[in-house]
Amino acid sequence: MQLIKTVKEIQAISDKLRAEGKKIGFVPTMGYLHEGHASLVVRAKELADIAIVSIFVNPTQFGPTEDYAKYPRDLNKDLLACEAAGADYVFAPEDKEMYPGGFNTEVSIKGVSDKFEGSFRPIHFNGVATVVTKLFLAVKPHIAVFGQKDYQQTLVVKQAVRDMLMDVAIEVAPTVREADGLAKSSRNTYLSAEERILAITLYKALNSARQIISSGAKNRQAINDAMSEVINNSGAFKIDYASSALFDDLSEPEEFKSGQEIVCLIAAYLGKTRLIDNCLITIP
Ligand code: AMP
């Protein structure tokens, strides 16, 4: 496995691999890797000949009061994790490599980025779409693998790829969870021991949505209320949103219909840590 720091080098490597007829699979990450990230690398290797992982804590997707400065970083540990998962190259550029002085262009997404995460993190998805576009131009992958953990992000990336005619197939891989159900996340390291125990509340809230849907609920507000109730009963969270929507365009009808696939999405603060989770459910 090779560590690459510059755009020029990774572009040259991709050009060579493409000329050799190799299929390139790409996993963009912000590092501090866990088994969720590793599962994406494994999936990339299943779908392609070569797996390239990027590690870059992207400043433009963090709001001014968010955790960019304290976001956990450990490149040496990440390199070992990438190698163990089967990565062939790690692209880990410095900030100025990705955003040289005078940088002044943004990929701005409307529609699917407006609600849920977008309404609480107003600049977030433009930062994501911009950096993903730049990473795609640097790495030149045939396919890129993203986690369902960041569900709305997968829709935003698909929208950007479609709208900007990017020749990259987008694959979404399932959320990897801890034994108790908590979605693995680099931000889980922020949690105190007591918070770590309470953190599974979000998973329990998603399960309560599953439960009332399987017993016949189709009303969107009732489904949302079932999730909020579980979270509020724990007395530990401040909810940003606990919502359900159609899985493909995030539209919010009053009543869901049998056969429709929906996504339940939660974002909430546990102390200072903001956690997100989601699940897909088909209305019976
Ligand atoms: P991040 O480093 O948090 O930006 O995440 C990089 C990629 O890993 C994104 O596509 C995430 O959706 C994905 N990811 C993060 N956590 C998990 C998880 N628990 N299971 C699967 N994929 C994940």
Side-chain angles (χ1 to χ4, degrees), residues 201-202 204-206 208 225-235:
T201 306
L202 300 193
K204 288 184 180 163
L206 293 173
S208 88
D225 290 347
M227 293 191 284
S228 295
E229 195 187 326
V230 172
I231 301 169
N232 288 331
N233 281 348
S234 80

Side-chain angles (χ1 to χ4, degrees), residues 27-37 39-40 54 56 61 71 145-151 153-154 173-177 182-187:
V27 179
T29 81
M30 297 203 301
Y32 218 74
L33 304 179
H34 50 66
E35 288 87 343
H37 298 110
S39 76
L40 307 186
S54 67
F56 180 63
Q61 71 189 65
Y71 196 85
V145 187
F146 290 83
Q148 189 197 313
K149 164 83 192 336
D150 297 272
Y151 184 78
Q153 170 172 281
T154 67
T175 301
V176 175
R177 297 176 180 282
L182 174 66
K184 287 185 185 269
S185 166
S186 310
R187 288 188 168 100

